[in-house]
Amino acid sequence: MMNKETATLLEEHFDTAFAAPDGVAKLRELILTLAMQGRLVEQDPNDPPASELLKEIEAEKQRLIKEKKIKKPKLLPLIKLEEVPYKVPQGWEWVRLGNIGIINPRNDVNDSTKAGFVPMPLVSNGYSEKHQFEERLWREIKKGYTHFADGDVGMAKITPCFENAKSCVFSGLPNGVGAGTTELHIFRNTFNSVVPRFLLYHLKNPHFISSAASNMTGSAGQKRIPTPYFTEQLFPLPPLPEQHRIVARIDQLMASCDALEKLHKEREEKRLAVHAAAIRGLLDASDGSAWHFIGQHFSELYTVKENVAELRKAILQLAVMGRLVPQDPNDPPAGELLKEIQAEKQRLIKEKKIKKPKPLPPIAPEEEPYEVPQGWAWVRLGNIGIINPRNDADDLIKAGFVPMPMVPGGYSEKHQFKERPWSEIKKGYTHFADGDVGMAKITPCFENAKSCVFSGLPNGIGAGTTELHIFRNTLNSVVPRFLLYYLKNPHYISKVAPNMTGSAGQKRVPTPYFTEQLFPLPSLPEQDRIVARIDQLMALCDSLEQQIDAASGKQTELLNAVMAQV
């Protein structure tokens, strides 16, 4: 079976596992799979075969039955050839767990004895083998709980604990005994048939877990591994000396995996820290040095999606700070735009097309979060548009109905709609129209940046979820997508979130807060240039993420090919 070559190949391709997504996890799985196939260490012809061990187990079992220390177990089905999942090495035997140990035993202990109590949270998951315990008197825990003792192997039997590999070899219990969660299956090594940690590694193997999971019974969320299934579980039994060698080799290789994970974590933390410093430089400096640094180290910095996400945030923040495109001295200043907005507002009020709004508080200098470029102005949203307007439309026309699931989150801008007669949706819903900017006001939709510019609605109008704030650009004050990018900016979201009101899980951005929200207003031509530049840079971010996915896919393919070779 070329065990030396197998182990050597494993070590040679640790670098492949290091590069691939979840590579170390797959490597751990491969190590356990090879171990249970007898391909991780050399077989020793001097080892007594497992068939001799089975004879010893049977002799010990009969002795204990005769001495009435254990009950005579029920006969388990013989192992059929079609049940065997793979061929094991010469000297190994396929057995059923219930034939080589006691399943779910009971302890016979004095009531006043101190013991260990182990609820499920104190059983480690994954590849960890540790458990903790609370010291209790035996009489407090002997009834209604699962019994176990030092050296017993425990395995969670309920979902999702089973799938998360919650299992351990119990050790260090007070007086060597314990009891705990009823959601464990216990294997007691009464006949000294296995090295407990060898069995534990078998139970933690993702291949075992995935094959056993399909045999769980019960309703969703309460599925369990039945006791008969665990009792009749097939197990590849090597000679005891080989079990010891396999466990030692697994420990050695798992330690190498631990070191790989630590190195990977340290490398990624360093990469993230360097990028974070560069991004801070972008936001704090104005000399372009941070852009220069990012340009020089682009290929190193943008190999992880976390850095691309930070770049997106920086793009939007630089945009609303007026530092993404150069200012054009030929642009009319925002002060001129504000005069036009005011004139348009007065005209519409005079023509009774809009109501005279309540005056909003003037902006105090200390309210302004940062200095905007010359030609920009800080404004309140309610002063440059209509907040949460109502549509005046004929009942018979078709309109777009937009529930919250159809409002996009993150950096996506596209929304969907269902076509409905206006008469069905005009009451009890938020109104909007093509060109309006909508922003989710309830948690967690607000934090998830659910927002859009409405477009393509039937007859240009719609209604939908009441959990939206709407900005209508009646006064032609903004390029709608410039405002949208402002609202999707994670910096904006993080500053607004503490001002939400209501109970946990139902917190909202209040209408007065949204109406009085400060907004940095550039000239309309500059807004257009900023949006165009954002689109260009966001497309770059999309491309970077696609490249990362492609590279990850290639690394995974390479790792899978290596594993197939092994």
Side-chain angles (χ1 to χ4, degrees), residues 309-449:
E310 289 302 312
L311 181 60
R312 289 188 192 272
K313 287 168 64 175
I315 289 165
L316 295 192
Q317 186 61 13
L318 290 168
V320 299
M321 294 170 73
R323 292 169 53 192
L324 203 59
V325 300
Q327 276 72 51
D328 186 338
N330 296 315
D331 288 342
E336 293 299 316
L337 178 57
L338 288 174
K339 291 176 184 177
E340 293 172 13
I341 291 168
Q342 187 60 27
E344 179 67 4
K345 189 185 296 183
Q346 294 306 317
R347 184 184 70 78
L348 294 173
I349 291 169
K350 188 176 181 180
E351 294 176 6
K352 296 184 178 179
K353 292 183 178 179
I354 63 171
K355 293 180 181 179
K356 185 177 182 179
K358 292 179 181 178
L360 300 179
I363 298 172
E366 58 270 19
E367 285 186 87
E368 297 177 4
Y370 51 84
E371 186 178 348
V372 290
Q374 190 173 355
W376 288 40
W378 282 106
V379 296
R380 296 195 190 277
L381 286 182
N383 278 334
I384 62 169
I386 307 300
I387 306 300
N388 300 331
R390 304 295 291 175
N391 295 333
D392 183 14
D394 187 280
D395 280 2
L396 299 178
I397 69 169
K398 291 179 178 177
F401 179 68
V402 184
M404 187 65 85
M406 292 189 175
V407 179
Y411 296 105
S412 176
E413 303 175 28
K414 295 180 180 178
H415 68 86
Q416 297 172 292
F417 62 84
K418 301 173 184 177
E419 195 172 274
R420 298 274 184 87
W422 181 245
S423 58
E424 291 182 8
I425 59 175
K426 69 176 184 178
K427 291 184 180 178
Y429 293 107
T430 298
H431 288 196
F432 38 79
D434 282 354
D436 288 356
V437 182
M439 179 197 83
K441 62 183 177 184
I442 192 169
T443 192
C445 298
F446 169 73
E447 292 90 338
N448 292 337

Side-chain angles (χ1 to χ4, degrees), residues 213-285:
S214 59
N215 293 281
M216 298 178 87
T217 59
S219 58
Q222 288 290 309
K223 289 195 169 187
R224 292 176 174 83
I225 298 292
T227 301
Y229 179 87
F230 184 69
T231 303
E232 296 178 16
Q233 176 61 41
L234 289 190
F235 176 66
L237 185 70
L240 278 172
E242 187 170 348
Q243 291 183 42
H244 283 291
R245 294 197 302 275
I246 292 172
V247 168
R249 183 63 173 147
I250 291 174
D251 288 346
Q252 182 185 26
L253 292 171
M254 287 294 183
S256 296
C257 289
D258 292 342
L260 270 185
E261 282 181 330
K262 183 181 178 183
L263 182 61
H264 188 274
K265 182 181 179 183
E266 289 172 350
R267 191 183 74 170
E268 292 310 310
E269 285 176 350
K270 183 177 180 180
R271 194 199 314 272
L272 292 172
V274 169
H275 184 258
I279 292 296
R280 282 196 301 272
L282 278 180
L283 298 177
D284 297 340

